[in-house]
Structure formats: structure tokens, C-alpha cells
């Protein structure tokens, strides 16, 4: 819509925003009318109309098999559009049109904002299946007529009331028509069933919807007065009512076709099962986070026990081996601590990498600086845990073997994400400016436990590749290339 309006028309941003608000709401008008809607806007030179949006009904057959958006028609070809635009009124005159042997009744509704007519809605009703209307259909059509008059007067949609149509109740979910006093004039079968779910034992017609709803809802003192007002349809609002029997979602739409409220439409939907599943998911998420929290605590306990054992170890070699184990356990604990604070099983790995770098830097034999460049981004838990261990081992290896005691230097960790969304990859480089690799050293055959862990995790669990080569100029460069899921 944005492109079409800006390319062909003279409407400004505020007018365009009004059209977006209308289009977010007009599924309601389409369903109540059993009709297709096409929004036509006059072009900048006033000689043509351009169709910028289209809606098909969920309650009846469509009149348009093809997509109408983007079509241009010259002024004069469709007299009903001209009359509605020029006179600012709803135009219903004329005989039905025949489209592919289907009779279609065409009406035009001017779209008004602050006294100006921005465009025209063509309402097209397929007459092939017309029959004697039921009470439900008559209520739908009367409500559609009221909404059409409000659009023509510029009082619908309601400013500041952006509605998420995917989450809001629709016409087919349940509909109740109220008079100006909030008394039910008509309730659709689905609407009545929703109130029976709340515990209503009688019919709704003739009852005050606000007071009836407040009586069915659990008593909450002063809140009952708010329920009475909301369910009476005095203002455009969405709310939910919950009791032991279930949960219903309501949306109130005041009807003011001539500027004075004559009643209200209340759309409602039984969302009992949906809310139950949401609560189950919340409970599940909380349980998973608690598990990660307990795993982190247990790992920290294991690390503390290993640290105590290391202090009592007489052998320097055994003491260093236990300290390495402490750091390995600690890197896994960092991942679980981060997961315990998230709502899903994905983590921002940059924070984890910084904490791993800081933890391993404590063993620096001299004035060695560790830093990170680039961004790891968001990773899945099954990638983050082994990657944290790999990063710990590679950094630990660099600090232990690349520098002598008292020597200064730098270890830099860089991360680059690339590739398409289907084949995203993470390229990690750990480079030091230390003494470099020994002559004849083969990282794929080295018996060092740390390198064995790195090879196993990178090639086995992460399905990536691992390389260790002399760095340009001086030192050693470790390169890790692993596939990852694209960030959202």
C-alpha cells in the first residue's frame, strides 16, 4: 500500500496512516457484509483511481477471483466511485454487474478523515447464493450498514485503537448486538455458547450484558464496575473475562452511524484452551530455566570441590590438571547460567565469550592481554555449550604455551558470521603473537588433552572444522569454522 499510495496519489503520511488503520479493521466490515472490499484512491492528477488494498469475506463467496491491488481505472468508467468521491455519500444505486456469469451488487463507501474524502471502498456482494436471510444475517447486514456510515462520516476506525486482527475475536467467533442501554438485542449461537461456558444458564437476549458478565466473573470488588462498563460497549475496548468455567475474550465496538451511539457490537471468542496452553508453556519455560539454574549451581559445586582438592595436591602437575578441570567445568556453568535467564534455548554468546576470556586470562603467565573483536551473535544451546569449552581450551593452550613467564603479548579472539540464512556459518579466529608452533607440530595428531577435546567437539558435536597454523608475522592462529542457525 505504501508504494502504491506514494507513487500514484497526493496523500500525505497522516492520510496513509489512516488508511492503514482502516485496512487493519476492515475484515470486520467484509465479514458482516458478506462482501469483497476494494479500496480505491484517486491518482495525483485526478484522472484515474488506483486500487491499494483488497479484502475477501470469510462469511461468503468472493466476487473477485483475481487480485485487484495495483489496478488503475480511468475516472468515469465506474460512476459509483465518482459519485461517492464527489458527493461524499454512500452510493447504492444501479443494477447488479455480471462478472463471469455471477451477478454482483456494487456499492461505494467514501473514506473520510477530518472532513476530507481520501478514497472510496467498493463493496461487492456475490448475489449467486442469495436466499431469505436469517436473524443472524440480518444482524450482520445491519451492523455492516452502521459501520459503513461511520466510515463515510470519518468516525471509524477509532484513532489510537490499532487492533491485531490475528489475536482479536472475529465475526464468526461470536457476535452480540446491544442497544444504547447495553441490553442484548441479538446473540449469535457461538456468542451464546461462550457465555454458557462461563456459567450462564439462560438466554442472553433482553439481559444487560455488562451486569450479566460481572455476575458471572469472580467478585473483585470495585473491578466489577469496570467489567459492567466495558461489557456494555460504551467505548472501543478489548478485555477478557475469566471464571472457573473458562475464559472469553471480548471486543466492544460502539455504533455511531449518525454521530450518536445507537448501540454496540461485541465480538467474543472462547479462549479457554488457548490460555490453558499458554499457562502450560509458561510453566514449562520456568521449569527449564530452573533446571539450567540448578545445573549451574551443581557445576559450581563440582568446580569448588576440584579447587579444594587442587589446593591439597602435593604434585604441581596434578594441581595444574585439576585447575584445568575447574576452568572446563566453569565454562559450561557460564552457559547454563545464561540459559537460566532466557525465555528460550538460545543465548547471546558474546557475553559468554567475554566471561570465558576473563576466566582463562587469570592464568596468564605474564603481561598478556586478551581481547575480543567481532560478534558471535545468538546461538542455540547445543552449540553454545561445546563452543564455550572449545574457546576455553584454545585460549588456555595459547596462554600456557605461546608466552614465557613475564613475557608480554596479545591474544585476540575474532568472530565473523556469514553465509545465507540456510547455510549460515561462524568463523572464529584465535591469534596470539607468541613464540609460534614447534617445528613439525601437527595439531591433528597432537596428544595434548586440550587439543583432543577441541578436535572432538568441533568435528563431532559442532560439525565444523579446526585448524592451527602459524600466524602472519609471528605467533599462532587457530581457525574454527562451524555451521550455525541464522539469527532472527
Amino acid at each position: 500500500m505504501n508504494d502504491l499510495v506514494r507513487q500514484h496519489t497526493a496523500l500525505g503520511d497522516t492520510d496513509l496512516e489512516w488508511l492503514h488503520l482502516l485496512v487493519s479493521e476492515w475484515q470486520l466490515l467484509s465479514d458482516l457484509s458478506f462482501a469483497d472490499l476494494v479500496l480505491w484512491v484517486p491518482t495525483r492528477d485526478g484522472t484515474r483511481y488506483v486500487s491499494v488494498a483488497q479484502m475477501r469475506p470469510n462469511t461468503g463467496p468472493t466476487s473477485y477471483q483475481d487480485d485487484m491491488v495495483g489496478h488503475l481505472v480511468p475516472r468515469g468508467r465506474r460512476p459509483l466511485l465518482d459519485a461517492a468521491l464527489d458527493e461524499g455519500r454512500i452510493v447504492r444505486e444501479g443494477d447488479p454487474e455480471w462478472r463471469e456469469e455471477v451477478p454482483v451488487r456494487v456499492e461505494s463507501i467514501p473514506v473520510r478523515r477530518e472532513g476530507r474524502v481520501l478514497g472510496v471502498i467498493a463493496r461487492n456482494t456475490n448475489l449467486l447464493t442469495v436466499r431469505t436471510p436469517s436473524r443472524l444475517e440480518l444482524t450482520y447486514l445491519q451492523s455492516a450498514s452502521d459501520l459503513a456510515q461511520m466510515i463515510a462520516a470519518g468516525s471509524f476506525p477509532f484513532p489510537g485503537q490499532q487492533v491485531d486482527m490475528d489475536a482479536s475475536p472475529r465475526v464468526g467467533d461470536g457476535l452480540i448486538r446491544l442497544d444504547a442501554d447495553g441490553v442484548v438485542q441479538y446473540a449469535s449461537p457461538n456468542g451464546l455458547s461462550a457465555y454458557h461456558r462461563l456459567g450462564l444458564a439462560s438466554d442472553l437476549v433482553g439481559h444487560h450484558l455488562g451486569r450479566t458478565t460481572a455476575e458471572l466473573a469472580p467478585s473483585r470488588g470495585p473491578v466489577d464496575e469496570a467489567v459492567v462498563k466495558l461489557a456494555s460497549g460504551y467505548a472501543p475496548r478489548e478485555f477478557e473475562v475469566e471464571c472457573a468455567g473458562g475464559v472469553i475474550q471480548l471486543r466492544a465496538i460502539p455504533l455511531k452511524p449518525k454521530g450518536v451511539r445507537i448501540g454496540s457490537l461485541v465480538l467474543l471468542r472462547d479462549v479457554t484452551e488457548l490460555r490453558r496452553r499458554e499457562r502450560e508453556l509458561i510453566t514449562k519455560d520456568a521449569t527449564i530455566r530452573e533446571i539450567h539454574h540448578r545445573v549451574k549451581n551443581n557445576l559450581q559445586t563440582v568446580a569448588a570441590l576440584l579447587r579444594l582438592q587442587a589446593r591439597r595436591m602435593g604434585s604441581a602437575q596434578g594441581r595444574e590438571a585439576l585447575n584445568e578441570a575447574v576452568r572446563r567445568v566453569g565454562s559450561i556453568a557460564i552457559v547454563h547460567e545464561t540459559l537460566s535467564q532466557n525465555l528460550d534455548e538460545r543465548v547471546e554468546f558474546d557475553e559468554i565469550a567475554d566471561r570465558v576470556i576473563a576466566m582463562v586470562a587469570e592464568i596468564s603467565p605474564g603481561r598478556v592481554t586478551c581481547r575480543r573483536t567481532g560478534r558471535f551473535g545468538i546461538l542455540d544451546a547445543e552449540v553454545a555449550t561445546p563452543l564455550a569449552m572449545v574457546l576455553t581450551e584454545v585460549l588456555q593452550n595459547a596462554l600456557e604455551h605461546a608466552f614465557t613467564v613475564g613475557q608480554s603479548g596479545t591474544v585476540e579472539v575474532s568472530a565473523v558470521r556469514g553465509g545465507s540464512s540456510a547455510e549460515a556459518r561462524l568463523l572464529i579466529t584465535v591469534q596470539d603473537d607468541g613464540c609460534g608452533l614447534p617445528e613439525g607440530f601437527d595439531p591433528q595428531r597432537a596428544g595434548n588433552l586440550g587439543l583432543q577435546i577441541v578436535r572432538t567437539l568441533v568435528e563431532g558435536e559442532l560439525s565444523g572444522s579446526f585448524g592451527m597454523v602459524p600466524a602472519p608475522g609471528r605467533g599462532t592462529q587457530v581457525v574454527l569454522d562451524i555451521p550455525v542457525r541464522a539469527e532472527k
Side-chain angles (χ1 to χ4, degrees):
M1 183 193 292
N2 286 356
D3 292 340
L4 288 171
V5 168
R6 287 172 178 148
Q7 179 182 353
H8 295 285
T9 78
L11 297 181
D13 290 341
T14 54
D15 294 332
L16 179 57
E17 186 62 31
W18 182 262
L19 295 184
H20 275 293
L21 188 60
L22 172 65
V23 168
S24 73
E25 293 272 29
W26 71 343
Q27 180 73 64
L28 174 62
L29 177 63
S30 178
D31 290 345
L32 290 172
S33 304
F34 308 98
D36 291 76
L37 305 178
V38 179
L39 177 57
W40 296 92
V41 180
T43 57
R44 190 173 288 105
D45 58 9
T47 62
R48 295 181 296 175
Y49 297 95
V50 58
S51 58
V52 298
Q54 178 180 4
M55 179 57 66
R56 294 183 173 90
N58 294 316
T59 51
T62 182
S63 303
Y64 287 111
Q65 298 299 327
D66 298 327
D67 186 7
M68 293 297 296
V69 175
H71 282 215
L72 288 162
V73 297
R75 184 178 172 89
R77 179 175 294 180
R78 300 193 177 182
L80 296 185
L81 294 181
D82 298 338
L85 183 69
D86 296 339
E87 301 172 24
R89 64 180 179 89
I90 299 175
V91 182
R92 296 190 176 94
E93 299 88 355
D95 297 326
E97 296 181 3
W98 287 84
R99 299 176 188 164
E100 299 179 357
E101 300 183 354
V102 175
V104 176
R105 182 175 65 241
V106 181
E107 304 166 86
S108 295
I109 305 167
V111 177
R112 193 184 304 273
R113 174 182 174 268
E114 296 181 353
R116 295 166 46 243
V117 177
L118 307 182
V120 179
I121 294 175
R123 181 163 55 176
N124 304 270
T125 307
N126 186 325
L127 300 178
L128 198 61
T129 58
V130 169
R131 61 186 186 280
T132 303
S134 64
R135 178 72 189 281
L136 180 143
E137 290 169 331
L138 288 173
T139 303
Y140 277 20
L141 292 171
Q142 179 58 53
S143 302
S145 176
D146 294 335
L147 284 177
Q149 291 182 58
M150 292 169 65
I151 291 173
S155 57
F156 186 85
F158 304 108
Q161 291 291 323
Q162 188 80 31
V163 175
D164 181 1
M165 292 305 298
D166 292 332
S168 293
R170 298 198 175 194
V171 170
D173 296 327
L175 178 143
I176 297 174
R177 173 93 184 208
L178 309 180
D179 65 14
D181 297 322
V183 176
V184 178
Q185 294 179 311
Y186 175 79
S188 71
N190 284 347
L192 188 58
S193 296
Y195 265 82
H196 285 166
R197 184 73 179 264
L198 290 182
L200 180 69
S202 62
D203 195 2
L204 269 173
V205 176
H207 290 76
H208 190 279
L209 186 66
R211 288 194 288 269
T212 301
T213 305
E215 290 170 1
L216 294 172
S219 179
R220 298 178 183 174
V223 179
D224 287 349
E225 292 301 320
V227 171
V228 171
K229 193 170 184 64
L230 289 171
S232 298
Y234 286 101
R237 292 287 187 274
E238 277 196 31
F239 60 100
E240 289 186 2
V241 175
E242 181 175 0
C243 68
V247 185
I248 60 172
Q249 181 184 15
L250 299 96
R251 182 189 176 198
I253 303 170
L255 297 175
K256 303 177 181 180
K258 296 182 180 179
V260 178
R261 194 174 72 86
I262 62 169
S264 304
L265 276 184
V266 177
L267 305 180
L268 65 157
R269 178 173 58 178
D270 185 346
V271 292
T272 305
E273 187 64 19
L274 179 63
R275 295 297 175 259
R276 183 187 67 80
R277 291 181 180 179
E278 286 178 352
R279 292 189 184 104
E280 287 180 352
L281 287 174
I282 291 172
T283 302
K284 179 182 177 182
D285 289 341
T287 302
I288 292 173
R289 289 199 299 272
E290 178 62 22
I291 290 172
H292 284 303
H293 182 70
R294 294 189 181 188
V295 170
K296 182 263 297 183
N297 288 344
N298 291 338
L299 289 172
Q300 287 181 335
T301 301
V302 171
L305 293 173
L306 291 173
R307 198 175 292 111
L308 286 172
Q309 186 66 42
R311 291 172 184 168
R312 289 163 173 75
M313 181 71 66
S315 166
Q317 187 176 3
R319 190 161 51 248
E320 181 55 33
L322 287 175
N323 285 330
E324 287 183 4
V326 168
R327 287 188 286 273
R328 288 165 184 153
V329 172
S331 66
I332 302 175
I334 290 172
V335 177
H336 282 282
E337 182 179 4
T338 305
L339 287 168
S340 70
Q341 300 167 1
N342 288 357
L343 295 177
D344 56 16
E345 291 291 284
R346 307 194 77 192
V347 295
E348 179 65 61
F349 196 80
D350 294 312
E351 178 186 349
I352 294 174
D354 290 340
R355 294 179 62 180
V356 167
I357 291 171
M359 177 182 68
V360 177
E362 295 176 358
I363 68 168
S364 172
R367 298 183 301 278
V368 178
T369 302
C370 296
R371 63 170 179 260
R372 172 180 65 87
T373 60
R375 181 173 175 271
F376 287 86
I378 298 174
L379 300 177
D380 294 330
E382 57 264 28
V383 174
T385 301
L387 183 57
M389 282 200 67
V390 167
L391 192 58
T392 301
E393 296 299 330
V394 172
L395 286 169
Q396 190 168 285
N397 189 71
L399 291 173
E400 286 183 353
H401 302 291
F403 305 98
T404 58
V405 177
Q407 181 182 357
S408 62
T410 302
V411 178
E412 181 175 303
V413 180
S414 68
V416 178
R417 292 185 77 132
S420 64
S421 58
E423 298 180 353
R425 303 195 71 83
L426 177 61
L427 183 66
I428 305 165
T429 305
V430 180
Q431 181 172 318
D432 65 70
D433 55 2
C435 60
L437 295 172
E439 187 175 347
F441 180 80
D442 184 358
Q444 300 299 329
R445 297 178 179 274
N448 179 290
L449 176 60
L451 291 181
Q452 289 181 8
I453 292 174
V454 170
R455 285 198 302 269
T456 300
L457 292 177
V458 171
E459 297 172 1
E461 290 198 33
L462 298 176
S463 302
S465 62
F466 159 70
M468 179 180 284
V469 296
R474 180 185 177 188
T476 304
Q477 186 180 77
V478 176
V479 180
L480 309 171
D481 185 1
I482 60 175
V484 293
R485 185 150 63 106
E487 291 187 275
K488 295 182 180 179

